[in-house]
Amino acid sequence: NDRRNMATLAAALKGYDAKHETKAADATEIRLCAQVPPIAKLDSKSLSNLSSCEKLSLSTNAIDRMQSLAGMKALRILSLGRNNIKKVEKLDDVASTLEQLWMSYNQIASLDGLSSLVNLHTLYMSNNKVASFSELDKLASLPKLRDVLFVGNPMYDALADKGEARLRVLKHLPNVTKIDGEMVKPSEIEAAKALAD
């Protein structure tokens, strides 16, 4: 992608303000998905002005790295799917409020950067580069995590079927109630416990 044909978040927010009655700084939901030109760069200054925002949707752009979310004290849902993000980072400022993180279709190989999200209950991380089920251990300390999406990651490739992948996820994250869009069955809980380490 040619960087000259990319936008910044600051420019996209200016466009948002021009089109909406409620300014971005006061909006509870901001949706800047599939922008033309795509947003390539986030900046913490622009993000810090979004103090009322509860849901920020920036999916289907060309964002390559996360930035500090300091000042976004109301943020509950962050959607960054279909970007070029390689690393989950800089979420500490929203650790107490963030409930859902949508990161599918990126380039993420590690599940570092999530351990502080004490209220996170939904994590969508499908179609990334997570190669090992042991990465899921980094999420085991999240007390409220219940709904996860990991299908399309390399860690699924070596397994015979989707059922086995679900059991592996459950082995590492025994408290989740929904895996890859389907509720966990009691029989799966028992089968996961029986899996060898």
Side-chain angles (χ1 to χ4, degrees), residues 119-144:
N119 284 306
L120 191 73
H121 60 70
T122 302
L123 176 64
Y124 294 159
M125 193 65 77
S126 71
N127 298 283
N128 273 287
K129 309 252 183 230
V130 181
S132 169
F133 283 98
S134 63
E135 281 294 315
L136 303 183
D137 293 338
K138 296 172 182 176
L139 309 176
S141 64
L142 300 178
K144 296 185 178 176

Side-chain angles (χ1 to χ4, degrees), residues 123-171:
L123 176 64
Y124 294 159
M125 193 65 77
S126 71
N127 298 283
N128 273 287
K129 309 252 183 230
V130 181
S132 169
F133 283 98
S134 63
E135 281 294 315
L136 303 183
D137 293 338
K138 296 172 182 176
L139 309 176
S141 64
L142 300 178
K144 296 185 178 176
L145 189 64
R146 296 296 177 265
D147 182 358
V148 295
L149 194 61
F150 291 116
V151 69
N153 277 286
M155 63 185 178
Y156 278 39
D157 295 347
L159 300 176
D161 61 33
K162 190 175 82 169
E164 189 180 345
R166 289 172 58 79
L167 296 181
R168 294 262 167 231
V169 171
L170 204 49
K171 176 83 174 168

Side-chain angles (χ1 to χ4, degrees), residues 1-2 23 29 45 60 127 146 162 171 184 190:
N1 285 348
D2 187 346
K23 298 287 182 224
E29 184 170 338
K45 184 173 184 278
T60 317
N127 298 283
R146 296 296 177 265
K162 190 175 82 169
K171 176 83 174 168
V184 171
E190 291 309 311

